[in-house]
Amino acid sequence: MMTTDVESPPRAEAPSDPAGTPVDRPRLEHDLRAARSVFSGGFTVLCALLSLIAAFPLFGVLYMLIERGAARLSWSTLVELPPSAIQTEGGGFGNALAGTVFMVLIAGLIAVPAGVFAAVFLAEFGKDRPLAAAIRFGAKVLTGMPSIIAGIFGYALVVLTTGSFSAYAGGVALSILMLPIVTLTAEQAIRAVPAKMKEAAVGMGATPTQVVWRVTLPTAMPSILTGVMLAVARAAGETAPLLFTAQFTYFALRVDRLENAPSLAVLIYEFSGSPYEHQIALAWSASLVLVLLVLVFNLGGQLLARRNELARTR
Amino acid sequence: MTAIELPQRPAPSNGSADGIVIDLKLDRLWYGDFFAVRDTHMPIERGSITAFIGPSGCGKSTALRCLNRMNDLVEGFRFEGHVRFQDQDIYHPRIDPVAVRRHIGMVFQQPNPFAMSVYKNVAFGLKLNGYKGDYAERVELALRRAALWDEVKDKLKQSGLSLSGGQQQRLCIARAIATEPAVLLMDEPCSALDPIATRKIEELMLELKERYTIAIVTHNLQQAQRVADKTGFMYVDTSQGGRTGYLVEYRPTRELFDDPREQATKDYIAGQFS
Amino acid sequence: MSPPHVTSLPRPPTAGEKAVDVTFRHGTFAVGLGVLGLLALIVVEIGGVAAPALREQGLQFLHGETWDANQQVYGIRPQIWGTLYSSTIALVVGGVLGIAVALFISQGFLPRKLELLLKTVIELLAAIPSVVYGLWGIFFVLPALRPVTEAIHDAFGDFALFSPRSAGPNLLGGSLVLAIMILPTVTAVSRDAFAAVPGKVREAAFGLGATRWECIFGVVLPTASSGVFGALVLAFGRALGETMALAMLLGNRNEFSWSLFAPSNTLASLIANTFPEATGTERNALMCAAIVLLLITLAVNVLGTLILARTNRRLRGLA
């Protein structure tokens, strides 16, 4: 890597100055037996080893997912209804895929506008007021709340009120998980809009609302979208909230009636405990589809974020 | 001064016959594909202050950072030539860069104290070298030499970050000299400081010169004139389409400023003073 | 020739514009307040459903060891124990590995591009749904662990820690999967803390002649320590509330045990496993368990958030 002057290795014998006294030459050579070298090398090896141990299961999950999941994957698995226990072949999880998409959509319709509005307040109007700090703190606490609590809340709020499990109750429960993510990322996005752009609009006599709608939000939109995609990725994979609000059904998704609704995540949970090979295989395929769905949104969000960063630094 | 077990600093009269501590010779130097520096040969004399001046991007900081292998931390760095510290080629594969940096200390452009107390900042290097003696004494000594003792003696336990910019930079100098390195490199040490703090650091350099060899990068020509014994002027060559720095001339400071030999030097000095 | 007539455009904002402005600003305020309100509503709603059961069971609920719907006796001490036990094991294993990975991908051991790639990969792994980890646990971790646990049991079976010869779901398997699940969180947050240590500060250590590990132990870890601690607390909070993987792997047994190899249960997986079939008083009792879980995780999360906020303030002085 380094081009060095190999022809002149460190001189072995100490030269002397004209007075004849030996020069005090510092020892600079690598000394592999020095405590410092052993310590440093040992920790590097230990750290690499621990990282390897950590990497093994993480990539093991992905490997097994692809190996087992891809086996049963086909167009018909993506559209057909789940097989009953006695059915030994065919069937799929079309209803669950539709259910997941529908419930995440409902959740997004609730959480995205609410989250962006709250973010506008935090970043533009509330700023450093104690109330804004409290809301920010509340949102952070909500992010860390166990998702099962969101499910129970959805049950108490929607299921008990309407008297039935439903896709809509599922959507409400998921929206509680999405809301703090959208709020916090959108606030960051809005804050990143350069002050000089807003000042230009203010200087032309725009009202605060006009500044937000015509300048701030359009400029921040790509970054807000990143947050939305991350939130969608989180919501799509959640199981616990749906267990209490949508439950599961072998039948097609009905959006015109309040009744149990299917989803990929709950299907995986149901079939994972099944004694029938056929259903277990479908659970793996559904996992692969779910993970792909989640990763696409996650990766999309991250790529978008990186592109924005590049655009901003240019 | 008291005898110590730290890296032994040779007495100023000792060393190579010609009094050269570090022989810096950069024939060609790259960062990845970027051809950054060429033809720069600067022998640095013991017990003196050597300044590197020139416009920004001329590679003066790069040259300085070759002296204690800080450039190793930059990916894609490689060069042809040699850097000899007391007749040892410090880029030889057998040489441990970590050991080199213990003998050749460095003060950076931005004050960079650690997020710990003033005392621990100064003691950091002592601990690194496994010093077994009286820490308090060495810390005080270093802080006194850095002309900071009187200002911080009552707040040794406070965070180094609580000091003012000029104090932080002197703390960094104290931290660097606590272990008595042979050479002290300073990379634009005053660029982040106000004039009063700058003057304090300059006075400090002139005092430290008695015990250490100092190499300093500065963009301030007056500063070079005030403190440096010898000065190297570096310039940027854009003729090949790149931006490659090179050494134009390297002479005693007085001569370089009063009677520059090269046209580039004349123009630069005239431009900076007009 | 007269110059073309140009109208002067400026006019004061119309009443309509002003009304929109005021409405919108108050609207965002209301929605913002709604976020806080939601948090309060969650506690009130769940508390409301839980209240009757809590009144009926009293303090016995917290320290009782029986969960029996037929006799309407509900105690959650084994589940509280299982929650803390599994999360602690996960935190120790996942914490050590997670910090090691964070150091490995932030301290210049690898080329910069590879570091960024691995950072992205780890963030993606954090997004894998927990039900998928559960599925993997059932079909890979539990079978793979079995010969190991059996060998340990045969050798050290006298210790309570290894007492039943496990056959199927057990605490250790669940906790290890949990450790893998929180690992990306630990790594991502502590990597950020390490990366927030300014380059000039690390440079100062190298300039003094520190080796890479002397720099890590002397400067990087102390500077980032509260960030790493915050990462561990947040990960612990995640582990406490983790539901699906543990519901699938622990065996759902409501008994107190020290053993690593015995089936166990946690608050979250008790709720998940029991709720769908529960009715009447049992549902209310499950709501009580949810309240306890909520309080524990809230406390841990508030702590973690405060610690991370303090870290950021402290590091700002460095930049």
Side-chain angles (χ1 to χ4, degrees), chain A residues 31-308:
Chain A
D31 183 355
L32 291 179
R33 276 166 309 172
R36 169 157 55 82
S37 307
V38 174
F39 173 82
S40 210
F43 266 102
T44 303
V45 170
L46 183 70
C47 188
L49 207 67
L50 289 177
S51 300
L52 215 64
I53 292 174
F56 174 72
L58 288 174
F59 290 98
V61 177
L62 292 182
Y63 173 75
M64 204 154 164
L65 204 55
I66 293 165
E67 194 217 349
R68 296 234 181 156
R72 273 293 315 274
L73 209 55
S74 70
W75 178 248
S76 62
T77 36
L78 289 178
V79 292
E80 283 175 22
L81 288 179
S84 63
I86 43 167
Q87 206 176 323
T88 51
E89 58 187 62
F93 40 79
N95 64 341
L97 190 56
T100 293
V101 170
F102 181 74
M103 285 189 271
V104 170
L105 200 70
I106 296 282
L109 285 179
I110 300 169
V112 173
V116 173
F117 264 54
V120 168
F121 175 73
L122 290 182
E124 291 289 320
F125 304 137
K127 280 207 170 140
D128 300 325
R129 277 158 56 181
L131 179 68
I135 293 173
R136 213 170 281 132
F137 189 75
K140 276 183 189 151
V141 170
L142 273 180
T143 344
M145 188 183 72
S147 60
I148 193 171
I149 300 289
I152 291 178
F153 175 67
Y155 170 79
L157 187 75
V158 186
V159 177
L160 287 186
T161 317
T162 62
S164 169
F165 295 104
S166 67
Y168 297 96
V172 170
L174 292 183
S175 75
I176 292 164
L177 297 173
M178 286 177 72
L179 178 68
I181 304 178
V182 174
T183 305
L184 292 174
T185 48
E187 192 205 345
Q188 291 298 322
I190 293 171
R191 274 174 182 261
V193 175
K196 57 183 184 207
M197 283 169 101
K198 292 182 227 167
E199 274 163 11
V202 173
M204 288 160 72
T207 64
T209 303
Q210 286 168 330
V211 175
V212 167
W213 282 102
R214 310 224 169 148
V215 179
T216 314
L217 282 183
T219 315
M221 196 45 77
S223 308
I224 294 177
L225 218 56
T226 299
V228 171
M229 289 174 92
L230 293 180
V232 165
R234 163 100 199 261
E238 282 295 347
T239 316
L242 300 181
L243 220 47
F244 304 100
T245 51
Q247 293 221 322
F248 185 66
T249 172
Y250 280 67
F251 307 113
L253 170 77
R254 295 290 296 265
V255 297
D256 55 339
R257 261 194 269 169
L258 293 179
E259 59 174 38
N260 288 11
S263 62
L264 282 176
V266 180
L267 176 133
I268 297 167
Y269 174 59
E270 292 279 326
F271 283 10
S272 73
S274 161
Y276 305 102
E277 281 300 320
H278 186 56
Q279 291 189 333
I280 292 172
L282 263 184
W284 279 105
S285 299
S287 294
L288 181 61
V289 171
L290 183 59
V291 167
L292 285 179
L293 208 67
V294 167
L295 289 194
V296 162
F297 271 95
N298 212 304
L299 204 61
Q302 290 198 19
L303 288 180
L304 205 64
R306 201 157 302 155
R307 222 186 50 192
N308 295 336

Side-chain angles (χ1 to χ4, degrees), chain A residues 36 39-40 43-44 47-48 50-51 53-54 57-62 64-65 68 114 117-118 120-121 125 129 131 134-135 137-142 144-146 148-149 152-153 155-157 160 165 176 179 207-210 212-213 237 239-240 243-244 247 265 268-269 272 280 283-284 287 290-291 294-295 298-299 302 306, chain C residues 13 17 20-22 24-25 27-29 31-33 35-36 38-39 41-42 45-46 49 96-97 100-101 103-104 109 120-121 123-125 127-133 135-136 138-140 180 183-184 211-214 217 237 241 243-244 247-248 268 271-273 275-276 283 286-287 290 293-294 297-298 301-302 305-306:
Chain A
R36 169 157 55 82
F39 173 82
S40 210
F43 266 102
T44 303
C47 188
L50 289 177
S51 300
I53 292 174
L58 288 174
F59 290 98
V61 177
L62 292 182
M64 204 154 164
L65 204 55
R68 296 234 181 156
F117 264 54
V120 168
F121 175 73
F125 304 137
R129 277 158 56 181
L131 179 68
I135 293 173
F137 189 75
K140 276 183 189 151
V141 170
L142 273 180
M145 188 183 72
I148 193 171
I149 300 289
I152 291 178
F153 175 67
Y155 170 79
L157 187 75
L160 287 186
F165 295 104
I176 292 164
L179 178 68
T207 64
T209 303
Q210 286 168 330
V212 167
W213 282 102
T239 316
L243 220 47
F244 304 100
Q247 293 221 322
I268 297 167
Y269 174 59
S272 73
I280 292 172
W284 279 105
S287 294
L290 183 59
V291 167
V294 167
L295 289 194
N298 212 304
L299 204 61
Q302 290 198 19
R306 201 157 302 155
Chain C
E17 281 172 356
V20 168
D21 185 42
V22 171
F24 177 70
R25 281 202 266 174
T28 63
F29 173 75
V31 175
L33 211 57
V35 174
L36 273 188
L38 179 65
L39 204 56
L41 192 65
I42 289 173
E45 273 286 334
I46 301 178
V49 184
V96 169
L97 292 178
V101 174
L103 284 175
F104 199 62
F109 291 104
T120 310
V121 169
E123 274 165 14
L124 287 181
L125 285 170
I128 291 182
S130 89
V131 70
V132 175
Y133 278 110
L135 189 69
W136 177 71
I138 292 177
F139 292 100
F140 179 76
I180 293 160
L183 194 150
T211 61
R212 198 181 339 241
W213 283 98
E214 282 166 341
F217 282 117
T243 311
M244 297 320 293
M248 293 158 87
I271 301 168
N273 275 323
F275 190 87
R283 253 185 201 189
L286 286 172
M287 289 292 189
L293 174 65
L294 181 63
T297 50
L298 271 189
N301 273 312
V302 167
T305 311
L306 287 177

Side-chain angles (χ1 to χ4, degrees), chain C:
Chain C
M1 246 210 291
S2 65
H5 183 70
V6 181
T7 48
S8 172
L9 289 175
R11 55 165 177 80
T14 62
E17 281 172 356
K18 277 184 185 160
V20 168
D21 185 42
V22 171
T23 318
F24 177 70
R25 281 202 266 174
H26 285 90
T28 63
F29 173 75
V31 175
L33 211 57
V35 174
L36 273 188
L38 179 65
L39 204 56
L41 192 65
I42 289 173
V43 177
V44 170
E45 273 286 334
I46 301 178
V49 184
L54 209 54
R55 261 196 303 275
E56 207 171 288
Q57 302 289 330
L59 265 185
Q60 184 273 332
F61 184 73
L62 282 181
H63 62 76
E65 296 204 7
T66 327
W67 185 277
D68 191 333
N70 296 326
Q71 298 175 32
Q72 305 210 346
V73 179
Y74 307 105
I76 54 168
R77 199 166 78 162
Q79 291 82 5
I80 294 179
W81 166 249
T83 304
L84 295 176
Y85 199 10
S86 60
S87 296
T88 307
I89 296 174
L91 186 69
V92 171
V93 177
V96 169
L97 292 178
I99 292 171
V101 174
L103 284 175
F104 199 62
I105 64 168
S106 68
Q107 299 302 307
F109 291 104
L110 305 169
R112 185 114 188 88
K113 276 194 179 148
L114 194 60
E115 282 186 347
L116 284 178
L117 179 74
L118 286 176
K119 169 184 182 279
T120 310
V121 169
I122 283 161
E123 274 165 14
L124 287 181
L125 285 170
I128 291 182
S130 89
V131 70
V132 175
Y133 278 110
L135 189 69
W136 177 71
I138 292 177
F139 292 100
F140 179 76
V141 177
L142 290 183
L145 216 53
R146 204 156 161 186
V148 181
T149 59
E150 282 176 357
I152 296 178
H153 173 76
D154 292 347
F156 308 102
D158 298 340
F159 291 99
L161 211 54
F162 313 118
S163 68
R165 193 184 163 99
S166 150
N170 62 67
L171 181 80
L172 184 66
S175 304
L176 288 182
V177 172
L178 195 54
I180 293 160
M181 292 176 65
I182 62 168
L183 194 150
T185 309
V186 176
T187 300
V189 182
S190 43
R191 193 214 81 99
D192 286 349
F194 294 147
V197 177
K200 63 176 189 181
V201 174
R202 297 180 55 217
E203 218 170 35
F206 286 126
L208 283 168
T211 61
R212 198 181 339 241
W213 283 98
E214 282 166 341
C215 176
I216 289 171
F217 282 117
V219 177
V220 176
L221 281 176
T223 309
S225 62
S226 59
V228 174
F229 188 60
L232 292 178
V233 174
L234 284 186
F236 191 60
R238 234 199 109 178
L240 291 173
E242 175 46 48
T243 311
M244 297 320 293
L246 292 179
M248 293 158 87
L249 294 170
L250 282 189
N252 198 29
R253 189 164 74 182
N254 298 319
E255 255 171 54
F256 178 92
S257 167
W258 279 98
S259 172
L260 290 172
F261 299 162
S264 174
N265 212 352
T266 69
L267 287 172
S269 51
L270 167 79
I271 301 168
N273 275 323
T274 319
F275 190 87
E277 279 91 45
T279 49
T281 55
E282 192 175 18
R283 253 185 201 189
N284 294 341
L286 286 172
M287 289 292 189
C288 295
I291 286 279
V292 174
L293 174 65
L294 181 63
L295 291 181
I296 296 177
T297 50
L298 271 189
V300 172
N301 273 312
V302 167
L303 188 68
T305 311
L306 287 177
I307 292 171
L308 281 180
R310 220 196 65 182
T311 315
N312 290 341
R313 269 203 303 279
R314 224 172 63 120
L315 283 175
R316 216 166 290 152
L318 270 178

